[in-house]
Structures are given as structure tokens and as C-alpha cells.
Amino acid sequence: MCGIVGYCGNRKAAPVLIAGLKKLEYRGYDSAGIATLYKGGYRLVKKKGRVEGLGDGKDVKGNVGIGHTRWATHGAPSTRNAHPHVFGQVAIVHNGIIENAAELKKECLARGEKFASETDSEVIAHLINRFYRGDLAAALRACTQRLTGSYAIAVLAAGSPDTIACARQKSPLVVAKNRAGELLLASDIPAVAEEGLQVCTLQDGEIALLQNGEITVFDSTMRRINRDFFVCDAQISAPAKNGYEHFMYKEITEIPFAMRNSMPDFTQNQDFSVFYKVLCQAKYIEIVACGTAYHSGLCAAYAFEKICRIPCRVSLASEYRYRDPIVPEGALVLAISQSGETADTLAAAQLAKERGACLAALTNVGHSSITTLADFVILTGAGQEVAVAATKSFNAQLATLYAMVQALAAHQGTKVECRDLPALAALSLKASERVRSWTPYFTGAKSVFFLGRGADCFVASEGSLKLKEISYIPSEGYAAGELKHGTLALVDKETAVVAVITQQSVAQKTMNAVHEAYARGAKVFLVTAFPEYGKREEIVDHVVIPTCEEAFSPALSVIPLQVLAYSVCLACGYDPDKPRNLAKSVTVE
Ligand code: M6R
């Protein structure tokens, strides 16, 4: 999704901005731009396409500037729709969506103002310019009072040298000061991270002014407030491929480590003692999440219900918030989000909390927005995930959730074991190399079905999401027993099928669906913990993954599907780290 950087110091701003934008590239974007202030005017460079197109910035004068990578929502990807947008005295960059932009634009047009782009963002520049009388923070505040929707905004004004003002509402934004006294801002810490950087995560409604080496933060009534700064971990600044061709595959290989790092002992660890109590007393668990995190929620709910017999429902965060949800007394809501910034998940979590739920956030990013909302924060230890397609974060989420299941089961007097999963994941990773030889069947397929029952069904959905996301091949994850109720009509000899069989009680039932697909000419592949099924005539080839506590098997069975998606993507000639139309963190609704 869109990214923002800002710089205010003594160096040339442009190279700093461009370096920052490069660090945000992995998040997905379609155009980029920077604006610097110089002698009461602007130096503006913006282009459709990659950040590289902006050059190195060395010839762009000015010590103060803002930069942006755009992921189009309103208006096609183009140079004129790229940010910054300049109007009158003002230049702005914006992340989010201004929902009342049409109405505001009408108002500006009636005043005789001309628009240079089709974006919703440009109205912000018009409004700030209208309200600007030399006090940039006040003008920004007057503007935000007129906006509905979500935004992180950074703004420059020609009449306010050495100054950037910024504001946040439902879209992440941090302000920071480095050891050299330079001031920075960014939508994501990695854009500006360096050793010793002091960072403040702005909250909704807050405005910050970066000026003369100082950061001043105001609340929504423009009262100065004292905000806490934390020292950022320099490691997040420079994600490296370490010899791998792509982040996605590097991250798949990190799965065993990510899992091992994400398994606190909830029964013993003092940091979680209050949370553990709440978990043991919960009468009902509701999980809200999106995409891959939603799939990890489905897998966890299956294990919670099967092993702990506690009712557990999983909701797509984007649906939860609009269905007027009932939050029963004693409900524990788990919001799962790798980034901690997904707008739908944040909104669902907020609503659950407002309705009386105890809210625990499971996220991979400390200091992300969800951590400030939740009653309990549980960090997964996957390490920074750069590839848009989530892999190791999924396994890390499962590791934490299964550790929770194990702890709750222990409280109930039942013994289950998940601590062996990281070592077993390493074996699954090794076995997964075999799926690369399946690739030609998938690049040539008209459509692909992933089938499973029980916990395998959720892994099928995740495998399908991975394949769609990076190889653009139409695919569905399907409950194997449901195939015959309609979807079987799509299966023919141009269909490839991957069946996942790790649950003994439904193994033969999934094989029935496999047979139905095979009988219609589909090429069927198998990921299984039971080698005997691989020898059946319906199966072209199979991968055997280790056995474990059955309800926990998704953490192992998903790995071959992640490797398959990666391999098919490469064979199709696409870049797995930068899938079209997608962004790493989805900060708009
Ligand atoms: O950061 P989050 O976990 O909240 O992100 C949720 C989804 O946007 C994310 O999992 C998405 O589906 C991934 N690109 C899937 O690979």
C-alpha cells in the first residue's frame, strides 16, 4: 500500500527520501514522487513506475522534503496521479482514502480552483492552502476537521521553511529523531530506521510538527502533548536476501526458526500470566483477521475446539464490523495481523473492544497500531517479513496459537504437544523440494483446486491464496466433501488438484473427492502424512510430511504449498516478491 517518508535536516533531502522510498518498495506501489522545499518554492519529481525512475536525487536542492509511493485507489496509476500534490503554497502526500473527497472537490471547484489529478488526495492540498496563514500545523488541523475517511498526511508550505507538519487518522505514521538531530517521518519504521533512532508512533487525531530540530506533537484540540519515544531496532532497517534470489523463498526457509521463536510457554512465562488467566477463564473465543492471518485463525479455531472444547468462531475482519456482531459475556477476541496495520482488522478489533470483549492482538510488529488498541499484545517472532505473500508469519502465528491451545489444554488436564513442530517443519521443508517437479502441471492448468477436510481444508485455502497471489492462476481452496455439490462441474483434464490429507478420520473421505476429480481427467497431487495414499492410481505424485498432533498439522502441510506457489510463479516468469495489484500491508478499507 502507499508509503510516506519525510526529512527535515541539514543534508539534501531528496537522496534521503529516495533511499527511504526504496525501503518501502516491497509493500507494493505503482508510482512514486518527492517534493523538496527550496528558496520558497518546490522541487517536484514524480513518475509512474518504480522509485528508480526518480533518479538518485543528488541534483534536487532543498533540505526539507516529503516522498511517497502510491498504490492507486482513486484514479489510475499515472504520473499526474502520483504524489506529492501541489496546490498554491502547499505540497502534500497522503495514505488512506478520503471518503468525502467528491463533496470537497465540488466545493473547491465552486471557488474556481483547478485540479491536476483524479485522486481523492488532492483536495487535501486545496484545503490546507485555503486555511494556511503561516501556521502549518493549524492549517493542517483545520483541514483534517473537514475530512472523513482514513489518512496519514505530510505537508510542506512554501511560506514555512524547515518545517513539515503531519497528521494521522486510521493510517500508520511515525515521527522520529536520529542521533544527528535530523527529523524524519514515515508510514513504516523500516523506511527511516537506523541505529539509535528515537521513534514516536502517532495516534489517531494527533498532529506533529517537525521544525528546527524539534518534534512537537498536538492532540486533536491542538494542545501540546508529551509523547513517549522508543529506540528503534536498527536491524529492521535493512532487510537482506542473504544470497537468496527472492525474499519469499528466504522467508520460507526461515519457517522453523520463526516457529521456534514464536512459542512462549503461556503456563510459565510471567509476561503472559494475566493473559493466561483470561484465556483459561474465557467462555468463548472470537478470532478476527484477513487473508493469510484469517486462515491461521481458522486453523487455530479448529484446534481450540477439537482439543479444548471451547467454542471458537473466526470472522473475516472486513465482514465482522458490518454485521452488528454479538460479543457474548466472557468473550476473548484474538485479532491476528502480521503487520498490525491492516485497516479492516484494526476496525474489527476496535468494535469488539467497544462491545466489551477482552482484546488480545497477535502481531509480528511491535509498536504497530494494533498494539496500542489491545488489552494484551502477543508478538510472534517471525522476524521482518518482506515478501507480499505471507509465509513464515503464517507458521509463526500457528506456532503461537498452538502454544496457546497446549497451555489451555494443560489447564484442563489434557496433554498435547506442539513443541516438536519447529523441528518437524524443518523436515517438511526438506520434503517440499519435491513439489518443484510438479510445476509444469500447474503452469499449464486452466484452474487449480486445493482440497482437504477438517484442518486440511484451511490449509487448502491458504495454498490456493498463495498460488493466486503470485502466479495469477485461477484457483480455489475447497472443502473436499463440498466439491460434488456444484464445483465439480468445473473439473476437467485441464484442471490440476492438490489434495491435503493429514487427518486420519477423514482421509478416506478426501480420497473420495480425489477420485471424483481424477475420474474427470484432473491431474491430482497429494500432500499427506500417510504415504499409503500416495501410491493410489489417482495420484500423479505425492509429498510425505511428518506426522504430529493432528490438529496442529497445518503448520507442516502448508510448507509444500508455499514452495509450490513459489516455484510456479518463477516458471510463469513473475517476481514473487512484488505481485501485481497487491500490497504488503493493506491500510485502507
Ligand atoms: O498484516 P496482516 O496479517 O493483517 O495482513 C492480512 C492480509 O492482507 C495478508 O495476510 C494477505 O492476505 C497476504 N498478502 C497473503 O499472502
Side-chain angles (χ1 to χ4, degrees):
M1 206 112 288
C2 307
I4 288 178
V5 285
Y7 172 84
C8 186
N10 295 324
R11 279 187 286 161
K12 262 192 179 163
V16 182
L17 297 173
I18 289 170
L21 293 179
K22 283 194 172 150
K23 291 183 189 147
L24 292 181
E25 280 195 294
Y26 72 91
R27 293 161 39 99
Y29 68 102
D30 51 60
S31 53
I34 57 165
T36 60
L37 262 179
Y38 184 65
K39 290 193 173 166
Y42 292 108
R43 297 285 186 266
L44 182 67
V45 190
K46 55 184 193 173
K47 286 240 160 67
K48 182 181 168 186
R50 298 274 180 214
V51 175
E52 264 159 31
L54 304 179
D56 61 11
K58 286 188 183 144
D59 298 333
V60 182
K61 295 193 167 128
N63 303 330
V64 180
I66 51 180
H68 193 256
T69 47
R70 174 173 187 256
W71 186 83
T73 55
H74 292 55
S78 67
T79 297
R80 78 193 202 105
N81 287 338
H83 300 213
H85 294 290
V86 178
F87 183 75
Q89 291 241 51
V90 166
I92 66 105
V93 290
H94 164 231
N95 285 0
I97 292 179
I98 304 304
E99 288 167 2
N100 59 339
E103 183 188 309
L104 294 169
K105 187 168 178 179
K106 229 186 202 169
E107 182 184 299
C108 296
L109 289 169
R111 293 164 59 93
E113 295 171 5
K114 300 250 179 311
F115 280 76
S117 77
E118 296 134 14
T119 64
D120 56 331
S121 309
E122 197 183 344
V123 291
I124 299 170
H126 285 244
L127 289 183
I128 300 176
N129 186 63
R130 189 192 305 171
F131 299 127
Y132 179 64
R133 305 272 181 280
D135 182 342
L136 191 54
L140 177 56
R141 174 67 190 134
C143 164
T144 57
Q145 279 177 315
R146 299 289 319 277
L147 304 178
T148 52
S150 58
Y151 51 80
I153 300 168
V155 54
L156 306 172
S160 297
D162 306 325
T163 306
I164 310 177
C166 60
R168 169 208 160 122
Q169 181 69 30
K170 296 186 195 148
S171 189
L173 195 61
V174 299
V175 288
K177 187 172 183 171
N178 68 13
R179 281 182 175 155
E182 296 169 310
L183 307 181
L184 297 135
L185 64 86
S187 52
D188 301 76
I189 299 173
V192 291
E194 60 180 71
E195 192 79 47
L197 189 75
Q198 304 267 345
V199 182
C200 167
T201 309
L202 292 184
Q203 301 299 309
D204 284 351
E206 290 178 352
I207 285 183
L209 197 64
L210 283 63
Q211 196 176 41
N212 301 329
E214 291 305 328
I215 297 173
T216 316
V217 183
F218 303 91
D219 68 10
S220 56
T221 62
M222 291 307 281
R223 234 173 6 119
R224 275 173 186 240
I225 48 174
N226 283 327
R227 290 297 317 281
D228 289 338
F229 282 66
F230 62 89
V231 180
C232 104
D233 178 354
Q235 289 197 338
I236 62 175
S237 65
K241 288 190 190 146
N242 294 347
Y244 288 94
E245 205 183 332
H246 299 105
F247 281 110
M248 183 181 174
Y249 190 65
K250 170 182 174 268
E251 288 162 3
I252 291 173
T253 67
E254 289 168 351
I255 285 172
F257 168 80
M259 290 178 68
R260 201 165 294 120
N261 232 5
S262 304
M263 295 183 123
D265 181 348
F266 288 98
T267 65
Q268 299 295 324
N269 190 324
Q270 283 311 304
D271 293 347
F272 297 113
S273 59
V274 183
F275 171 74
Y276 183 45
K277 228 185 197 158
V278 171
L279 177 67
C280 293
Q281 283 166 0
K283 303 216 164 5
Y284 165 77
I285 298 175
E286 171 99 40
I287 296 177
V288 291
C290 301
T292 290
Y294 170 70
H295 294 150
S296 75
L298 289 169
C299 296
Y302 182 86
F304 270 123
E305 291 206 344
K306 190 137 186 137
I307 295 170
C308 306
R309 307 307 295 162
I310 178 169
C312 187
R313 184 171 64 171
V314 191
S315 296
L316 286 166
S318 54
E319 290 297 319
Y320 179 82
R321 53 194 290 206
Y322 291 112
R323 74 158 190 254
D324 196 9
I326 297 167
V327 179
E329 217 181 302
L332 170 64
V333 171
L334 291 175
I336 308 175
S337 172
Q338 187 283 130
S339 62
E341 300 294 353
T342 300
D344 288 319
T345 308
L346 289 173
Q350 172 82 47
L351 181 62
K353 206 175 155 186
E354 280 163 16
R355 296 197 171 186
C358 176
L359 177 68
L362 183 58
T363 180
N364 199 36
V365 183
H367 304 288
S368 57
S369 299
I370 208 157
T371 64
T372 60
L373 251 185
D375 300 305
F376 299 101
V377 175
I378 303 153
L379 290 178
T380 50
Q384 190 183 0
E385 189 174 67
V386 174
V388 169
T391 54
K392 64 174 177 173
S393 64
F394 175 77
N395 298 68
Q397 285 160 0
L398 289 183
T400 307
L401 291 160
Y402 292 158
M404 259 181 226
V405 171
Q406 180 176 319
L408 181 56
H411 171 75
Q412 296 169 336
T414 311
K415 194 171 158 30
V416 283
E417 193 44 76
C418 69
R419 311 253 151 222
D420 52 352
L421 287 173
L424 298 176
L427 296 177
S428 182
L429 187 58
K430 211 163 162 203
S432 297
E433 280 307 304
R434 187 179 180 93
V435 304
R436 290 182 188 257
S437 66
W438 304 357
T439 303
Y441 291 91
F442 288 78
T443 49
K446 188 175 67 186
S447 63
V448 177
F449 286 94
F450 290 83
L451 303 178
R453 291 186 78 137
D456 295 335
C457 176
F458 312 127
V459 175
S461 297
E462 176 58 12
S464 168
L465 178 62
K466 287 291 87 84
L467 187 75
K468 277 185 274 210
E469 190 169 27
I470 57 173
S471 75
Y472 321 139
I473 295 171
S475 160
E476 273 191 77
Y478 230 75
E482 191 61 17
L483 195 65
K484 58 187 177 294
H485 294 293
T487 306
L488 193 57
L490 295 175
V491 175
D492 63 18
K493 58 182 184 347
E494 290 178 275
T495 309
V497 170
V498 182
V500 183
I501 300 184
T502 68
Q503 313 287 301
Q504 187 75 72
S505 60
V506 286
Q508 186 49 52
K509 308 240 177 258
T510 302
M511 279 309 291
N512 295 346
V514 162
H515 191 82
E516 288 158 13
Y518 169 74
R520 280 143 189 99
K523 305 287 176 296
V524 187
F525 299 81
L526 183 64
V527 170
T528 186
F530 313 119
E532 61 274 23
Y533 291 108
K535 298 187 186 109
R536 301 271 184 95
E537 62 162 334
E538 297 96 322
I539 306 298
V540 179
D541 193 24
H542 70 286
V543 162
V544 181
I545 58 157
T547 47
C548 63
E549 166 64 49
E550 274 196 5
F552 298 158
S553 68
L556 309 181
S557 57
V558 75
I559 299 171
L561 307 189
Q562 294 165 333
V563 175
L564 178 65
Y566 174 74
S567 174
V568 174
C569 166
L570 293 192
C572 292
Y574 303 126
D575 179 349
D577 291 341
K578 296 193 182 106
R580 70 185 184 201
N581 305 340
L582 299 181
K584 183 65 183 162
S585 79
V586 184
T587 51
V588 294
E589 200 189 325

